Amino acid sequence: MHRKTRFGGGFPAIFYTISKALEVGPWRVWKKMTSRNACKTCAVGMGGQLGGMVNEAGHFPEVCKKSLQAQVADMKGAIPSDFFERNDLDALLQLTPKQAEDCGRLGYPVILEPGATHFKPIYWDSALEIVAHALKSSIPNNVAFYSSGRSSNEAGFLLQSFARVYGTNHVMNCSFYCHQASGVALKMAFGSGTATITLDDLDDCDLVFLLGTNPASNHPRMMTKLANVRARGGKIVVVNPLRESGLEKFHVPSQVKSLFFGTEIASHYIQPLAGGDVHFLVGLLKAMFEAGTMNQSFMTNYADGAEQVIAQAKQTSWDELILGSGVSKQEIDEIAELLVKSKATIFAWAMGLTHHASGVDNVLAVCNLAIATGNVGRAGAGLLPLRGHSNVQGIGSIGFTPSLQEGVKRALEKAYGKAMPINEGLDTYAMIDAAGRGEISTLFALGGNLWGSNPNLNWATKSMQNIGTTVYLSTKLNPGHFHGRGQRTLILPVLARDEEPQSTTQESMFNFVRLSDGGEANVPGQMRAESDVICDIATRVLGDSPVDWSRLKDHHEVRKLIAEVIPGWKEIAEIDSTKREFTVTGRVFHSPEFPTANKRALMHKTPLPKFDSDALRLITLRSEGQFNTVVYEENDFYRGMPHRFCILMAEEDANKLNVQDGQRVTVRGEAGTMENIEVIFGQIKPGVVAMFYPEANVLIDGRVDPRSKTPSFKSAPVWIER
Ligand SMILES: Nc1nc2c(c(=O)[nH]1)N[C@H]1C(S)=C(S)[C@@H](COP(=O)(O)OP(=O)(O)OC[C@H]3O[C@@H](n4cnc5c(=O)[nH]c(N)nc54)[C@H](O)[C@@H]3O)O[C@H]1N2
Ligand SMILES: Nc1nc2c(c(=O)[nH]1)N[C@H]1C(S)=C(S)[C@@H](COP(=O)(O)OP(=O)(O)OC[C@H]3O[C@@H](n4cnc5c(=O)[nH]c(N)nc54)[C@H](O)[C@@H]3O)O[C@H]1N2
Ligand SMILES: [Mo]
C-alpha cells in the first residue's frame, strides 16, 4: 500500500505561509521579508530591493515558505532569563532539535563551567575575557575555528584572518560535510570550483538534469525556473532513487495556472541505486560512444583526458553498468539520446551526489558528460552545484578553509604585515578526530551545529567533550551546544543578518554577491554583531598591532581588505556607495576557455564504487519541514512520513524482510542502532532506504571520501531487525 503523498508547493504552501505570518504578526513579517537582506535559507541568492522576494534577475514575487519559516523563527520571543536555572544540563540534553529551536532566541551569553550542572548567564565582558584567556593559553596548533554558511562574508573573513594571525590553519567550514566534492571535482575539471553559469542561463537551456537533489523542498525558488523550462517545451531529467513528489508535480505559487493545476517538473524520472550514479553516468557515455554521438570536436578542441574516459566506458560491460546503477539499458539509451538532441543542457546536483565515499568521482562523471556533449563553456549550458546555506559559497570564497591559495596567502601577509602559519590545516572530520585524541584545546564555532552534522554521533560526542573550551556564536539553541560541549562551554548570542547594525554581504550559488542592509533586532536582548564579537576577542588576544582589529569592526574596512586579498572580488570595496551587487569575476564560462594551466578542460577516469551486497543502502535526508539540524515540523507530508523516526522502504524489500507498513523495527548501522523505527512504504528504489538527518547520524560510520573528506551520509550500509 502506498501512503498518499502530495505534490509540492501550491495552496498548502501558501496557507502554511499565512499561518506562519500570523504567529508573529503579518505586518512585522512583511516588513522583514521585504527589507533588503539576502534570504537566510538556501543559496539561490534571493535579496536586493525587496529582500527575500526577488531573485538575481529581479523577478518578484518569489515566495518561499522556507525563508518565512526561518524568518518567523528568528522573530518569535526570547529565552526567559531563568531558563537555564530551571533546566539543568541533563534536561537540556533531552531536548529534541525542534524543542531546542522552539525555546526561542538566545538573548544573553551563557557559560557552563567544568563539572557544573547548569549553564549560567554571564556578562559579555567576562565571557570575552574567558575566551581570550583560553586562546592565549592554548598552543595555536591545538585551536580550531569552524563556520557554518549562515554568517556574512565580513564576519567570516575577520575570523579566518584572525585565526591565521593568531597562528593556525585549522579553519574549516560546513562544506566538508556538504558540497566539498563539487568544489574539488569542478576544480579538477575546469580549474574553478563553483557554478559555471548564471541564473539567467536557466532561461536559455532546453534540458536540465537534476541529480541527487530535491529542490522542491530545499531550493524552492528554483522551481519557478524549472517550471519555465517545461513551459517552453524543454525537458527535465530527475535522477534520484526516491520519487520526490515535488519533482513530479509542483504548484508554483507565483504563477496562477500552475498554482491551481500544478506543473509537471520531471519529464523523465530515473531511479538509480543510491551510490549508483557513476555507473549510470558512465553508462550514458558508453551509449553515446556506441551510437557515435559524442561531441568529438568539442573534446578535441577544448579538453584533455578524453581517451582514458572513453576507454573506460568502452571497456566496462553493460552488465556491470546496469547492475551497478540499477537503471535499465533502455532508460540509459533514452536519456543519452535526449542529451545528444539537446541544444543546451544544464547539470544541477546536490547532496545525493556529494554525500558518498565516491563523491568526487560522482561529480567528475557529471563534468565528463558535460564535456563529452559540449555542454559547458557557452550560454545556456553548464554545471550548477545547488549550494546549501545562503552564504556557504561566500564563506569558502573569502578563505574560511584550511588551505589558502598562494596568492591569497601572500596578499594576507601583505595586508596584515604578518607571516601566515605553516601548520597543515585540518578538515572538519579530521578536526573531530583530533579532538578525540585530546589535541584540540579550544574550538571556536561561528554558527552551525557541528555536533549534529557529524556521522557516528557517539564518536562525535566523546570527541567534542574532550575539548577544553568550546565557544559557540549562535542565534538559537540546538542540541549541539549541549552534546557537543567542551569541558567549558560558552554560547554567545549574535544578531542575524537582517538585524545587523551595518550592512553585510553574501554570495549566491551563481557567484553573485548580494548586499544586505541589516536592520533592527527582532527580539530584545544583548545580542551582538558577529564581527564585533570577533574583533573584541582578537584585540584581547593579539592587541592592536600589527593589526588594528577595532578599526576592522567597520565592515567597509573589511570589504576593502577582501577586495585586496580575494581574487575576483574587487567590486566589493565600493559596494557601500555603489550598492551594486556583482558577479565574482573569472567564474562564469560562456566560452570554452577555462582557468587551467593550458586553458583546456580536463576529463578524469571515474572508478566504479563497490558496495556491501547484503546490506540495504541508507540515504539520510532532509524532511519538508527542517533546515539542516533545525527541525520546524516533525512530519513530512510530501513523503507521507508522520514523524522523525521512520524508515522509508520499497514494498518489495519489506516483503523480503517480512515486515509490514507501519510496523516498528530496529535499524542497525555500522556505528549504532535505532529501535522502534516505523516502516513506511514509499516509492524508493528496492535496496535503498531513507531516514531523516540528523537523528539517523547515530547509525553511520565515518567512511569519508579520500579527496573531499565528506562522509558517506547517503550510502551507509544498514540492516533491519524485526
Ligand atoms: N528547506 C530546506 N532547504 C535547504 C536545507 C534544508 O535542510 N531545508 N538545507 C540546505 C543545505 S545546507 C543543503 S546542502 C541543501 C541540500 O539539498 P538536497 O541535496 O536536495 O537535500 P537532501 O535532503 O540531502 O537530499 C538530496 C536528494 O538526493 C537524493 N539521493 C540520495 N542519495 C542519492 C544517490 O545516491 N544518488 C542520487 N542520484 N540521488 C540521491 C535523495 O533522495 C534526495 O532527494 O539544501 C539547502 N536548502
Ligand atoms: N546524516 C547526514 N548528516 C549531514 C547531512 C545529511 O544530509 N545527512 N547534511 C550535511 C550538510 S549538507 C550540512 S551543510 C551540515 C550542516 O551543518 P551546520 O551548518 O553546522 O548546521 P545547521 O544545522 O545548519 O546549524 C544551525 C544552527 O546555526 C545557528 N545559526 C543560524 N543562523 C545563524 C546566524 O546568522 N549566525 C550564527 N552565528 N549562527 C546562526 C543556529 O544556532 C542554528 O541552530 O550537516 C551535514 N550533515
Ligand atoms: Mo549543506
Side-chain angles (χ1 to χ4, degrees):
M1 177 202 73
H2 285 306
R3 296 264 170 114
K4 202 171 149 24
T5 52
R6 293 193 234 170
F7 296 115
F11 285 108
I14 290 178
F15 291 141
Y16 182 89
T17 305
I18 293 170
S19 73
K20 271 278 148 192
L22 290 175
E23 286 177 21
V24 292
W27 174 238
R28 271 184 78 207
V29 175
W30 174 256
K31 261 185 24 200
K32 275 291 182 181
M33 293 292 289
T34 52
S35 69
R36 181 190 173 119
N37 284 292
C39 174
K40 291 177 184 177
T41 47
C42 77
V44 169
M46 314 302 293
Q49 276 311 326
L50 279 164
M53 292 203 210
V54 186
N55 69 17
E56 289 169 23
H59 186 254
F60 172 87
E62 293 285 341
V63 194
C64 164
K65 70 184 240 205
K66 302 309 156 69
S67 61
L68 202 88
Q69 227 163 29
Q71 186 58 48
V72 170
D74 277 351
M75 299 176 74
K76 282 204 310 201
I79 294 175
S81 57
D82 61 349
F83 175 83
F84 292 95
E85 208 178 304
R86 284 187 288 107
N87 294 281
D88 66 2
L89 180 59
D90 285 338
L92 297 174
L93 286 166
Q94 302 306 314
L95 293 177
T96 63
K98 180 166 191 320
Q99 287 165 340
E101 168 69 17
D102 288 346
C103 287
R105 284 294 292 276
L106 182 63
Y108 46 92
V110 290
I111 185 167
L112 181 76
E113 290 287 7
T117 56
H118 288 74
F119 276 86
K120 288 206 172 95
I122 179 173
Y123 288 115
W124 264 108
D125 226 32
S126 316
L128 296 175
E129 202 46 49
I130 291 171
V131 176
H133 178 76
L135 288 166
K136 280 199 274 192
S137 54
S138 293
I139 300 167
N141 193 37
N142 291 350
V143 176
F145 295 83
Y146 171 81
S147 176
S148 157
R150 293 284 276 255
S151 299
S152 63
N153 293 320
E154 290 75 11
F157 184 83
L158 281 169
L159 189 58
Q160 74 89 354
S161 52
F162 162 62
R164 271 142 181 151
V165 176
Y166 165 73
T168 185
N169 281 318
H170 300 327
V171 173
M172 68 232 39
N173 67 61
C174 62
S175 180
F176 281 108
Y177 287 174
C178 185
H179 257 299
Q180 189 73 11
S182 306
V184 172
L186 286 167
K187 198 134 201 175
M188 287 168 73
F190 306 110
S192 168
T194 63
T196 68
I197 62 165
T198 65
L199 182 65
D200 288 340
D201 283 314
L202 281 160
D203 298 330
D204 297 328
C205 64
D206 61 12
L207 178 61
V208 177
F209 274 72
L210 294 176
L211 301 123
T213 171
N214 182 24
S217 285
N218 299 324
H219 302 93
R221 263 89 173 235
M222 284 293 294
M223 299 309 288
T224 317
K225 288 279 174 200
L226 296 172
N228 292 348
V229 172
R230 293 306 310 279
R232 57 176 190 266
K235 300 275 189 279
I236 293 176
V237 176
V238 174
V239 182
N240 197 316
L242 179 56
R243 279 196 92 93
E244 300 283 18
S245 55
L247 297 184
E248 298 190 288
K249 198 179 221 187
F250 195 85
H251 296 252
V252 182
S254 59
Q255 297 177 354
V256 176
K257 190 168 155 226
S258 173
L259 174 60
F260 281 92
F261 303 106
T263 302
E264 185 187 84
I265 302 295
S267 54
H268 298 74
Y269 212 115
I270 303 294
Q271 286 185 277
L273 284 163
D277 297 272
V278 177
H279 288 84
F280 171 65
L281 296 165
V282 171
L284 292 178
L285 281 181
K286 189 175 175 77
M288 290 190 286
F289 171 76
E290 290 182 353
T293 50
M294 279 188 189
N295 192 333
Q296 200 59 56
S297 70
F298 187 89
M299 289 189 284
T300 309
N301 292 333
Y302 308 113
D304 292 326
E307 305 71 30
Q308 41 163 349
V309 171
I310 295 171
Q312 183 198 6
K314 204 169 121 187
Q315 284 151 18
T316 313
S317 73
W318 274 117
D319 280 352
E320 190 175 357
L321 296 175
I322 292 165
L323 197 73
S325 64
V327 183
S328 70
K329 171 81 170 30
Q330 193 191 338
E331 283 174 303
I332 294 176
D333 283 338
E334 189 186 352
I335 303 302
E337 216 183 298
L338 201 66
L339 182 53
V340 169
K341 280 203 196 124
S342 155
K343 292 197 174 65
T345 302
I346 286 172
F347 300 88
W349 69 90
M351 299 301 102
L353 291 197
T354 62
H355 281 166
H356 298 279
S358 62
V360 169
D361 282 324
N362 281 341
V363 180
L364 283 175
V366 177
C367 297
N368 286 344
L369 203 57
I371 298 167
T373 55
N375 275 303
V376 60
R378 61 191 171 86
L383 295 131
L384 175 61
L386 295 171
R387 298 276 167 186
H389 276 299
S390 50
N391 194 37
V392 63
Q393 193 164 309
I395 287 291
S397 291
I398 54 81
F400 213 106
T401 50
S403 69
L404 294 174
Q405 293 168 27
E406 250 337 284
V408 173
K409 210 160 99 185
R410 278 197 306 273
L412 265 179
E413 284 177 344
K414 190 164 156 239
Y416 284 143
K418 176 102 190 347
M420 291 293 114
I422 53 166
N423 66 333
E424 196 176 325
L426 296 167
D427 60 81
T428 307
Y429 186 87
M431 188 273 285
I432 303 286
D433 225 18
R437 293 192 303 270
E439 292 167 12
I440 302 295
S441 55
T442 303
L443 166 68
F444 191 106
L446 180 61
N449 175 1
L450 174 56
W451 172 78
S453 307
N454 273 287
N456 195 345
L457 285 183
N458 289 327
W459 161 80
T461 305
K462 275 199 212 111
S463 304
M464 292 184 78
Q465 291 184 8
N466 230 358
I467 296 173
T469 301
T470 299
V471 185
Y472 290 110
L473 263 57
S474 301
T475 50
K476 310 283 287 285
L477 294 180
N478 64 54
H481 295 131
F482 316 125
H483 296 272
R485 66 183 185 274
Q487 283 146 32
R488 175 187 286 112
T489 299
L490 294 108
I491 319 175
L492 308 180
V494 292
L495 297 165
R497 76 176 57 127
D498 59 309
E499 306 170 313
E500 290 255 358
Q502 300 182 70
S503 61
T504 59
T505 60
Q506 291 78 27
E507 181 192 343
S508 81
M509 63 168 88
F510 298 98
N511 310 299
F512 189 68
V513 178
R514 301 231 72 146
L515 182 65
S516 292
D517 280 346
E520 302 268 287
N522 289 308
V523 297
Q526 307 166 30
M527 298 85 71
R528 293 192 177 175
E530 293 170 337
S531 49
D532 260 15
V533 180
I534 294 164
C535 289
D536 279 338
I537 292 171
T539 307
R540 279 169 203 259
V541 178
L542 301 173
D544 53 14
S545 158
V547 185
D548 181 359
W549 297 99
S550 51
R551 187 175 58 90
L552 292 179
K553 280 189 174 181
D554 179 349
H555 286 180
H556 180 62
E557 294 297 319
V558 184
R559 290 197 272 262
K560 284 201 295 199
L561 274 180
I562 295 177
E564 259 172 57
V565 170
I566 307 296
W569 285 65
K570 287 229 159 22
E571 285 183 63
I572 200 172
E574 303 306 325
I575 204 167
D576 302 80
S577 49
T578 61
K579 305 278 176 209
R580 201 169 54 232
E581 301 177 317
F582 63 94
T583 301
V584 178
T585 50
R587 299 230 187 120
V588 173
F589 306 118
H590 282 160
S591 63
E593 205 183 275
F594 307 99
T596 53
N598 63 2
K599 303 209 159 109
R600 291 160 67 85
L602 192 54
M603 297 174 85
H604 297 264
K605 237 168 81 172
T606 52
L608 305 172
K610 301 219 176 336
F611 290 93
D612 265 358
S613 54
D614 71 319
L616 289 165
R617 295 183 201 174
L618 171 69
I619 296 177
T620 54
L621 36 66
R622 292 153 171 76
S623 74
E624 164 61 11
Q626 81 183 77
F627 195 94
N628 291 350
T629 69
V630 178
V631 176
Y632 297 106
E633 311 290 337
E634 303 268 359
N635 72 326
D636 184 338
F637 73 100
Y638 282 166
R639 302 190 182 106
M641 295 163 88
H643 53 85
R644 307 280 310 164
F645 296 92
C646 301
I647 185 164
L648 200 73
M649 193 185 283
E651 196 169 348
E652 194 182 313
D653 284 330
N655 289 340
K656 276 193 213 151
L657 292 163
N658 202 10
V659 296
Q660 315 297 320
D661 189 48
Q663 189 174 334
R664 302 280 171 156
V665 295
T666 296
V667 181
R668 183 162 58 80
E670 288 181 314
T673 54
M674 288 173 82
E675 287 168 7
N676 206 21
I677 300 298
E678 185 176 350
V679 171
I680 304 287
F681 286 2
Q683 291 182 297
I684 188 166
K685 181 83 175 171
V688 183
V689 289
M691 293 176 76
F692 291 132
Y693 140 71
E695 291 84 349
N697 268 343
V698 293
L699 301 171
I700 300 171
D701 200 3
R703 284 178 199 219
V704 296
D705 177 6
R707 286 176 289 192
S708 66
K709 314 293 181 187
T710 300
S712 46
F713 291 125
K714 289 185 169 59
S715 48
V718 290
W719 297 266
I720 308 290
E721 289 157 12
R722 283 195 291 150

